[in-house]
Amino acid sequence: MAGRRLSRGRQVLAWKALSCASCSFPTADRKSRAADKFEPFHGTPSLRQIRHCLRKQLTWHHELERRARSAARSVAPDEDTDTPPQPAVAFPALVVISPGRPETVLDAYRCEPVQAGVYHAVPGLVMRVVVLAELPRTRTTLLLRLLGSGRRLREALTDLAALPDDTWEKSVATPLLVHFRHGIQEPTTDEEDDVSAEIRAWFKEYEQKLRSEERKEGRDEGRAQGRAEEAARAVLTALRVRGIAVPDAARERILAEKDPEILERWHERAIVAASIADVLPDLS
């Protein structure tokens, strides 16, 4: 299958995967930077496609240099020099994400393995190649493996589902997977039908869980709002019993308050108050 770019949803997941995993799963000699370029592919990329990525990498470096020069001029606009010194701009790394092993690319750029599934090209290129098919099945590689397909995607989804709900991987990946319906709308082969069915079942189960949580949050919010309204009415009732006139501004302030501790404090004041100022001194 020809190497084509990932869909929008999977590109977002790729960016998140590399941004979040860079500190524990290095794709370069240093931590990933915002200036680096990520090129995720749906199919194994060809040499021609990688050359196109390298051209974009050079163009991006030129743009970074232009921005640095512009920033330097804005900081020191009064210097008597026609050509301000060129600020040092680190060359951005190019990180290629490939589902399979791109043999021609690895050979052409003398890429060497630095760890399972990760290759570095000759130093001058600052290019890294991540081969999803070769990544070990570990928690460190989980977000990257979610960019795979077939069995690898199924394993990654299983690993993701097995994590506790409060893990950072779930907080990052699950909303993106559900929002973009990752993997569901892409064409599948006959041999991937079973995998696709499992993926759909995973999505259905998670979406049902989300709807259930939303309904519970809605009920909880409704109950909290009802208790706040009841407490506000109790404050007004206490003021009425005391024969204290309540201006419109004070009434609106009391009814708008949702903090139960504040309402309780106002109620205690209202029981013994001689005027509205004893309850809401800031309105006097």
Side-chain angles (χ1 to χ4, degrees), residues 181-207:
R181 300 189 65 80
H182 175 63
I184 291 182
Q185 297 175 344
E186 296 182 0
T188 59
T189 61
D190 292 341
E191 63 185 16
E192 290 183 337
D193 283 347
D194 292 341
V195 175
S196 299
E198 290 191 30
I199 294 171
R200 291 189 184 94
W202 186 89
F203 276 113
K204 184 177 180 180
E205 178 181 353
Y206 186 79
E207 288 174 337

Side-chain angles (χ1 to χ4, degrees), residues 88-152:
V89 177
F91 197 81
L94 170 64
V95 182
V96 176
I97 304 176
S98 171
R101 182 183 175 88
E103 292 287 358
T104 56
V105 173
L106 298 180
D107 291 342
Y109 297 110
R110 302 291 190 271
C111 297
E112 296 292 337
V114 294
Q115 63 187 81
V118 181
Y119 297 82
H120 286 189
V122 290
L125 287 179
V126 198
M127 181 176 73
R128 326 300 181 196
V129 180
V130 178
V131 181
L132 300 179
E134 298 179 2
L135 293 178
R137 187 176 177 180
T138 64
R139 181 174 174 178
T140 303
T141 66
L142 174 56
L143 292 188
L144 286 170
R145 290 186 289 113
L146 286 170
L147 302 174
S149 60
R151 177 178 58 82
R152 295 182 190 89

Side-chain angles (χ1 to χ4, degrees), residues 19-78:
S19 298
C20 294
S22 59
C23 59
S24 57
F25 182 67
T27 55
D29 300 332
R30 58 191 187 265
K31 291 184 180 180
S32 178
R33 302 168 309 180
D36 292 343
K37 285 193 63 61
F38 302 127
E39 295 286 350
F41 285 87
H42 182 277
T44 302
S46 65
L47 188 57
R48 179 174 176 271
Q49 289 173 310
I50 297 302
R51 286 170 178 160
H52 178 65
C53 293
L54 290 169
R55 286 196 297 271
K56 291 196 293 182
Q57 180 190 28
L58 291 169
T59 301
W60 177 231
H61 181 239
H62 176 73
E63 171 62 15
L64 292 175
E65 288 184 323
R66 185 195 66 77
R67 294 181 185 181
R69 286 194 299 269
S70 177
R73 282 194 294 266
S74 65
V75 170
D78 298 329

Side-chain angles (χ1 to χ4, degrees), residues 255-271:
L255 291 175
E257 183 58 56
K258 303 303 179 186
D259 189 323
E261 293 184 0
I262 293 177
L263 289 167
E264 182 179 2
R265 185 161 61 249
W266 288 351
H267 187 250
E268 291 172 351
R269 293 175 182 175
I271 294 173

